[in-house]
Amino acid sequence: MRKSFLVAVATIAAVTMLTACGNNNNGDTTPTPTPTTQATPTNPDRGDGPSTPAPTQGAEATPAPTVDHKQMVNNIHQAVQEAYGSFYAPSMQMQADEFYMADTLKLDASWYDEAIVEVMGMAVIPDTFIIIHPTEGNLENVKNAMEAYKTTLTENAWYPTTVTRSQGAQTGVVGEYVYFVVLTSSVNDMEYTDEAALIAACKENTQLAVDTITGVVNGDIVVTPWTETQKIRAAIMKAYADKYFPNVQVQDDPAYMQELLKLDASWYDEAVVEIPMIGANADKLILIHATEGNLENVKAALEAHKQSLIEDSMQYPMNKPRVQTAWVVTVGDYAIFSILGGAVDNPEEMGIYSDEDLLMYYESQNSNAEWAVRGYLGIWE
């Protein structure tokens, strides 16, 4: 009796368990309903928001684009030079000078990983270009150092004109980059009798650099990096500063290169040929990177071009001494032809009293291009 009772209890318990699990008469399983949980409403005031769905299994997140900060600071530097042309005056790069960076700019080496710092060689002109990419957590340190440097320039400069011009300097942050710029070489002091007006003109002139930096960083200005030959051309332009007058490039004109200069296309792989827009101006730069075995061919063609200019009966009288002293030389794999520096309008004011003196002056001017190329390439023999 007791045994029958226990069996009955066990049977009832088993049936109850099967029913709870959803087993029907056909042996199929009915899914057990999941208890419903009421969602807690979001409250923007306490920072709640809609939850972010988990990524679908197998989907890969798109990685953030990697920025080459070295290339970016170079692009910014190039774009600013292009914006100012021959009025871009800074010519000495100082970022590799540890003493200058630490002592003059008060920048700890750990605060940045990329920088271009370019200044004028003459203390009387404050023109400076600085672009820096700070390391993580050091943007404010670099920014503060640049602001302190501006104060130093405006308070401790040796020359009154430097103090005034430095007040047109601008410093700030664009994206991940800190800049300090003062670019005023095109501003003529003699045009301003009021100091405030001169400062305003310097600041306005410098604003072009700020706009250019902003445009490059934000992607509004697309920069095509210069080739090595174009970089050398920029070094030559800096050497002549506001006396660099060629402004039309013709190296892509086959008629000019092959018919006028007599340069076979196979003799070179890169070239910059720049002439002035005004035909009466003799200024010209020809910079050719010769292919292997063709350097002498290119030099001979440039020598022949010089001779054709000398013999040209239509040559302006004022240009004759300039073309006579045209400079043709080779440096490394480059051949150079240069008539640069502009014409002398009043020789006596420059202490030039004879034709021989004038020829020597022009020869000296034209040869400066060679030394700019040698300086860039580091070739002195």
Side-chain angles (χ1 to χ4, degrees), residues 199-375:
I199 293 172
C202 291
K203 190 168 186 176
E204 180 181 357
N205 205 68
T206 299
Q207 183 63 39
L208 174 60
V210 177
D211 295 341
T212 302
I213 293 167
T214 303
V216 175
V217 174
N218 292 340
D220 299 323
I221 297 176
V222 179
V223 179
T224 302
W226 282 336
T227 64
E228 194 71 3
T229 302
Q230 289 169 328
K231 291 177 183 178
I232 294 173
R233 176 258 181 193
I236 294 172
M237 187 176 71
K238 286 183 187 179
Y240 287 90
D242 61 347
K243 292 187 178 298
Y244 186 89
F245 298 111
N247 54 6
V248 178
Q249 294 195 10
V250 294
Q251 64 269 11
D252 295 327
D253 183 347
Y256 195 97
M257 299 297 284
Q258 296 169 26
E259 296 175 22
L260 184 64
L261 298 183
K262 310 299 183 185
L263 287 168
D264 189 287
S266 67
W267 291 353
Y268 62 94
D269 53 15
E270 215 175 314
V272 171
V273 180
E274 202 162 28
I275 61 177
M277 186 177 294
I278 302 173
N281 191 338
D283 288 65
K284 179 184 295 187
L285 171 67
I286 303 175
L287 180 63
I288 309 288
H289 183 262
T291 51
E292 187 175 357
N294 286 302
L295 186 62
E296 288 303 317
N297 289 336
V298 174
K299 182 182 179 183
L302 298 186
E303 292 279 12
H305 179 60
K306 173 181 176 179
Q307 191 60 36
S308 70
L309 291 177
I310 292 173
E311 296 172 358
D312 184 0
S313 60
M314 300 298 291
Q315 192 67 253
Y316 289 93
M318 63 182 180
N319 288 334
K320 287 183 177 180
R322 300 194 67 199
V323 299
Q324 286 178 41
T325 56
W327 201 251
V328 179
V329 69
T330 61
V331 179
D333 295 327
Y334 286 89
I336 308 159
F337 174 103
S338 55
I339 302 175
L340 297 171
V344 176
D345 295 325
N346 298 296
E348 291 186 2
E349 290 184 3
M350 301 178 63
I352 299 172
Y353 298 102
S354 68
D355 291 343
E356 291 75 12
D357 289 343
L358 186 60
L359 289 172
M360 288 178 61
Y361 172 81
Y362 282 137
E363 185 174 87
S364 174
Q365 285 289 96
N366 294 336
S367 66
N368 284 339
E370 174 190 348
W371 296 109
V373 175
R374 290 189 179 279

Side-chain angles (χ1 to χ4, degrees), residues 26-107:
N26 298 324
D28 297 327
T29 302
T30 303
T32 304
T34 303
T36 303
T37 303
Q38 185 175 1
T40 304
T42 59
N43 183 349
D45 292 335
R46 67 166 182 253
D48 294 339
S51 60
T52 303
T56 305
Q57 187 173 4
E60 295 183 2
T62 303
T66 302
V67 178
D68 184 338
H69 297 298
K70 182 178 181 64
Q71 187 62 57
M72 179 62 83
V73 298
N74 283 326
N75 286 350
I76 292 170
H77 182 222
Q78 176 183 320
V80 171
Q81 289 182 81
E82 290 175 345
Y84 283 84
S86 61
F87 289 106
Y88 182 86
S91 57
M92 295 175 59
Q93 292 202 3
M94 306 299 293
Q95 64 268 15
D97 186 329
E98 295 178 2
F99 180 81
Y100 187 91
M101 298 295 282
D103 189 72
T104 302
L105 300 183
K106 310 300 182 187
L107 287 167

Side-chain angles (χ1 to χ4, degrees), residues 67 69 72-73 76 80 129-134 139-140 142-143 146 170-181 207-221:
V67 178
H69 297 298
M72 179 62 83
V73 298
I76 292 170
V80 171
F129 171 86
I130 301 175
I131 187 76
I132 297 174
H133 178 256
L139 189 145
E140 285 299 319
V142 175
K143 179 185 175 184
M146 292 299 94
Q170 299 197 50
T171 185
V173 177
V174 179
E176 299 180 48
Y177 303 88
V178 180
Y179 64 82
F180 173 95
V181 284
Q207 183 63 39
L208 174 60
V210 177
D211 295 341
T212 302
I213 293 167
T214 303
V216 175
V217 174
N218 292 340
D220 299 323
I221 297 176

